[in-house]
């Protein structure tokens, strides 16, 4: 199957089967989403969603974060991975939003990456989710699934390489939702250690399945047949 055909199959499948796909992080404003995404680095969305309500209540604006200190904020974050760094990042983030962005979350990747704790992936998430910009955030799920499906070259070894290839081949109007398609498929079906090929309806163009077909069939987890 040609790469163009793989992308067509990918987009057609999810457009029909998952027309609505959104982040699983809970938020009510761009500021809340920014805080949640910073906290979600190497941490589950479930854990972040358990933690953020108290943070949003006690620190509802960038000014509140800017005015706090490490000892006050840390107890809210201590159950999250890397709490020391993330506490410092959020305080610095609050100060920069107040001092340089009039307490508003900037809407460009170039401005967002200036904020403490915000890398390219986080900036892509914010601009994609909040403003539907055609930016592709590449986390471990997107990286893994896009390679398994053959959407990107197998020698694409960095998130930036994967991002560039996905953005090049996915039509702009689909990029913001394709990010969620890849994440959710990777989170619940195409998991890292033992993908659930028997539950997957993408095996007809999946490179991973093609390569491991015999072993998967021997396990007795037959994938569903493609509908004609």
């Amino acid at each position: 199957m040609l790469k163009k055909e793989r992308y067509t199959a990918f987009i057609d499948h999810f457009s029909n089967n998952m027309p609505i796909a959104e982040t699983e992080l809970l938020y009510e404003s761009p500021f809340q989403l920014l805080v949640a995404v910073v906290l979600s680095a190497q941490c589950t969305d479930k854990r972040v969603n358990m933690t953020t309500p108290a943070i949003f209540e006690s620190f509802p604006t960038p000014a509140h974060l800017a005015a706090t200190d490490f000892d006050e904020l840390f107890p809210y974050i201590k159950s999250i991975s890397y709490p020391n760094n993330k506490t410092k990042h959020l305080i610095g983030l609050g100060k920069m939003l107040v001092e340089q962005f009039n307490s508003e979350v900037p809407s460009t990747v170039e401005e967002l990456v200036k904020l403490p704790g915000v890398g390219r992936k986080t900036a892509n998430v914010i601009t994609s989710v909040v403003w539907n910009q055609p930016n592709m955030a590449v986390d471990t799920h997107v990286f893994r699934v896009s390679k398994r499906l053959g959407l990107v070259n197998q020698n694409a070894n960095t998130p930036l390489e994967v991002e560039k290839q996905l953005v090049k081949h996915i039509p702009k109007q689909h990029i913001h939702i394709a990010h969620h398609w890849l994440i959710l498929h990777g989170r619940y079906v195409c998991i890292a250690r033992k993908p659930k090929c028997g539950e997957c309806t993408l095996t007809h163009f999946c490179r991973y399945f093609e390569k491991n077909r015999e072993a998967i069939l021997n396990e007795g987890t037959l994938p569903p047949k493609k509908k004609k």
Side-chain angles (χ1 to χ4, degrees), residues 4 11 25 32 61-62 79 101 106 116 131 161 167 169 186 189 225:
K4 182 178 180 180
I11 293 170
L25 292 171
Q32 288 189 357
T61 68
S79 64
F101 297 102
W131 294 286
E161 289 177 311
V167 169
H169 293 287
V189 180
K225 294 182 179 180

Side-chain angles (χ1 to χ4, degrees), residues 21-222:
E22 302 173 335
T23 178
E24 293 185 311
L25 292 171
L26 303 178
Y27 70 98
E28 295 181 354
S29 68
F31 170 67
Q32 288 189 357
L33 179 63
L34 178 59
V35 170
V37 177
V38 169
L39 292 175
S40 71
Q42 296 181 290
C43 186
T44 65
D45 287 359
K46 181 179 180 180
R47 169 55 60 183
V48 172
N49 288 337
M50 293 170 61
T51 304
T52 49
I55 297 175
F56 296 156
E57 181 177 357
S58 297
F59 307 96
T61 68
H64 287 86
L65 279 183
T68 193
D69 58 28
F70 183 93
D71 290 338
E72 182 179 11
L73 181 58
F74 180 80
Y76 292 85
I77 300 176
K78 64 181 181 180
S79 64
I80 295 281
S81 59
Y82 304 102
N84 288 358
N85 286 339
K86 290 179 180 179
T87 299
K88 295 173 184 177
H89 288 329
L90 289 186
I91 294 172
L93 178 152
K95 290 179 178 179
M96 186 171 287
L97 287 177
V98 170
E99 295 170 0
Q100 298 187 27
F101 297 102
N102 195 32
S103 293
E104 297 290 333
V105 175
S107 60
T108 68
V109 170
E110 292 73 20
E111 290 177 314
L112 282 163
V113 295
K114 297 177 182 178
L115 298 170
V118 178
R120 184 175 182 85
K121 181 184 76 174
T122 296
N124 281 341
V125 170
I126 301 302
T127 54
S128 172
V129 171
V130 176
W131 294 286
N132 290 341
Q133 293 180 19
N135 298 326
M136 175 62 68
V138 178
D139 67 355
T140 56
H141 299 303
V142 174
F143 190 89
R144 178 178 69 256
V145 174
S146 61
K147 294 185 77 170
R148 285 180 173 175
L149 292 178
L151 299 177
V152 301
N153 298 336
Q154 297 304 298
N155 60 359
N157 294 320
T158 68
L160 183 58
E161 289 177 311
V162 170
E163 175 190 332
K164 288 181 177 179
Q165 291 186 37
L166 290 172
V167 169
K168 178 181 178 181
H169 293 287
I170 298 175
K172 281 189 176 181
Q173 69 270 26
H174 292 300
I175 292 175
H176 72 281
I177 193 171
H179 160 72
H180 299 300
W181 288 340
L182 289 165
I183 285 179
L184 294 173
H185 190 65
R187 184 172 290 166
Y188 296 110
V189 180
C190 194
I191 56 180
R193 294 186 179 180
K194 194 174 182 180
K196 301 176 182 178
C197 297
E199 300 177 15
C200 182
T201 53
L202 304 179
T203 52
H204 58 288
F205 70 94
C206 176
R207 287 192 181 278
Y208 178 90
F209 180 74
E210 292 171 4
K211 182 179 179 180
N212 299 279
R213 182 184 183 90
E214 184 175 348
I216 293 169
L217 296 182
N218 287 337
E219 292 176 355
T221 56
L222 292 172

